[in-house]
């Protein structure tokens, strides 16, 4: 294994001995605020920025130590789906700036993580033939996020080894630390067939180790935690777990996520016991879910 450089951790600006709490969902909360189904959340960066800012504020008020930008689908291939590929840098800078302004008004330090999702261009076969091209795609997005003032990059819902590695290399090339999480289905693999141990191995040998690796979304708190616990980590690399609130069920016109704040609080306690030191929620997680996890961390979340 190549020698690794550890970039100075942004977490040193927080209470570094405590388990850290990220935020909840962006997409499902914007749907609840009126974003039409099938419309990219990034459209609201210019059309309804106050709705995104209000969500950031709500998560800060609920006790988040880290908020993620509204930029999950802000890579050029995804933005091209609604004719916005040329605006990649502008939209990412805007997303970062909105989150940055929200945390600056907090009474305690809160970090901004730049959300980077997959391109989905080739989710099944991976991106093996085009990893270098993917580095360029992600670097363009991350440069925009950096211009808007993020503290680190959060690669989430990663699907293939090649894209995950490309996105990590992009963060390193732009000079930012990164967290990397993937989402695993019922069989314990991503749609591209990547398992949790294989995902953890993606970051071995890179020039800069991740701040944390782990899981997000998946199929609810239990599977998300089980997959994360199956990841072998290098020394100093934290474990991050950000589950969805179960798979949504249709109730009338709405998609309802079954797990409430109480169940996310139970998840938080179990995750801390399994060694996770960054928690949060994905789809379905509202500020109330985050507040419930905050209470658990305040009681049980000391690392030493
Ligand atoms: Zn999710």
């Amino acid at each position: 294994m190549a020698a690794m450089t550890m970039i100075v951790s942004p977490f040193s600006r927080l209470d570094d001995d405590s388990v850290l709490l990220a935020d909840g969902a962006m997409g499902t909360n914007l749907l609840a605020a009126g974003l039409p189904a099938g419309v990219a959340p990034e459209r609201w960066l210019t059309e309804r920025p106050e709705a995104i800012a209000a969500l950031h504020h709500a998560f800060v008020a609920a006790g988040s130590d880290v908020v993620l930008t509204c930029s999950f689908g802000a890579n050029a291939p995804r933005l091209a789906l609604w004719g916005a590929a040329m605006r990649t840098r502008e939209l990412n800078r805007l997303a970062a700036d909105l989150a940055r302004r929200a945390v600056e008004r907090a009474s305690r330090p809160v970090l901004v993580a730049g959300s980077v999702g997959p391109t989905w261009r080739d989710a099944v076969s991976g991106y093996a033939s085009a990893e270098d091209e993917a580095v360029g795609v992600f670097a363009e997005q991350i440069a925009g996020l950096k211009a808007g003032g993020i503290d680190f990059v959060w690669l989430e819902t990663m699907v293939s080894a090649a894209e995950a590695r490309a996105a990590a290399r992009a963060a390193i090339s732009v000079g930012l630390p990164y967290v990397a999480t993937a989402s695993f289905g019922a069989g314990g693999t991503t749609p591209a067939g990547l398992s949790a141990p294989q995902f953890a191995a993606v970051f071995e040998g890179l020039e800069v180790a991740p701040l944390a690796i782990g899981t997000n979304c998946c199929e609810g708190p239990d599977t998300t935690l089980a997959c994360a616990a199956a990841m072998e980590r290098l020394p100093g690399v934290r474990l991050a777990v950000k589950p969805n609130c179960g798979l949504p069920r249709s109730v009338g016109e709405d998609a309802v996520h079954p797990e409430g704040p109480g169940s996310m609080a139970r998840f938080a306690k179990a995750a801390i016991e399994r060694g996770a030191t960054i928690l949060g929620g994905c789809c379905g997680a509202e500020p109330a879910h985050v507040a419930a996890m905050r209470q658990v961390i305040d009681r049980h979340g000391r690392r030493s």
Side-chain angles (χ1 to χ4, degrees), residues 2-302:
M4 285 198 175
T5 321
M6 204 58 165
I7 297 182
V8 176
S9 169
F11 302 145
S12 59
R13 286 171 36 212
L14 305 173
D15 177 359
D16 208 23
D17 290 329
S18 178
V19 171
L20 303 178
L21 181 59
D23 59 6
M26 177 61 66
T28 55
N29 283 300
L30 293 187
L31 286 170
L35 179 74
V39 170
E42 289 79 13
R43 283 190 100 109
W44 274 19
L45 289 166
T46 49
E47 293 170 15
R48 291 277 310 278
E50 70 287 352
I52 296 168
L55 189 57
H56 289 319
H57 283 296
F59 284 132
V60 170
S64 294
D65 300 306
V66 176
V67 297
L68 275 69
T69 56
C70 181
S71 55
F72 177 75
N75 57 65
R78 297 290 298 165
L79 294 176
L81 300 178
W82 52 283
M86 298 298 285
R87 299 172 61 199
T88 301
R89 191 182 168 90
E90 171 210 345
L91 290 171
N92 280 285
R93 191 189 53 71
L94 263 176
D97 186 56
L98 268 180
R100 167 64 49 209
R101 276 188 281 158
V103 306
E104 273 172 359
R105 285 165 51 185
S107 55
R108 59 183 204 290
V110 178
L111 302 180
V112 174
S115 170
V116 171
T119 66
W120 296 111
R121 271 217 284 211
D122 206 356
V124 176
S125 62
Y127 219 124
S129 60
E131 185 180 317
D132 288 343
E133 183 197 336
V135 174
V137 165
F138 289 120
E140 181 188 21
Q141 175 181 11
I142 294 169
L145 290 166
K146 186 180 187 185
I150 63 167
D151 296 298
F152 64 97
V153 180
W154 192 315
L155 316 173
E156 52 176 348
T157 322
M158 288 287 118
V159 176
S160 73
E163 272 209 2
R165 187 165 36 241
R169 286 173 55 197
I172 295 166
S173 75
V174 174
L176 284 171
Y178 63 101
V179 165
T181 58
S183 180
F184 301 93
T189 57
T190 68
L194 189 69
S195 70
Q198 287 170 334
F199 177 70
V202 161
F203 308 97
E204 288 174 13
L206 289 180
E207 195 186 339
V208 179
L211 297 168
I213 58 172
T215 49
N216 73 283
C217 215
C218 302
E219 302 207 329
D222 293 346
T223 57
T224 312
L225 180 53
C227 287
M231 292 180 180
E232 217 168 293
R233 284 169 292 135
L234 295 161
V237 176
R238 289 169 176 251
L239 187 64
V241 196
K242 202 172 186 288
N244 63 17
C245 297
L247 293 178
R249 301 184 194 125
S250 294
V251 178
E253 306 233 315
D254 298 325
V256 175
H257 292 264
E259 311 292 352
S263 118
M264 292 302 270
R266 283 189 293 282
F267 149 74
K269 188 152 186 291
I272 291 168
E273 286 165 5
R274 300 283 292 268
T277 57
I278 303 179
L279 308 182
C282 199
C283 302
E286 300 167 8
H289 296 81
V290 171
M293 287 191 272
R294 176 81 263 166
Q295 287 190 0
V296 173
I297 290 173
D298 287 346
R299 269 201 307 271
H300 305 283
R302 300 307 295 181

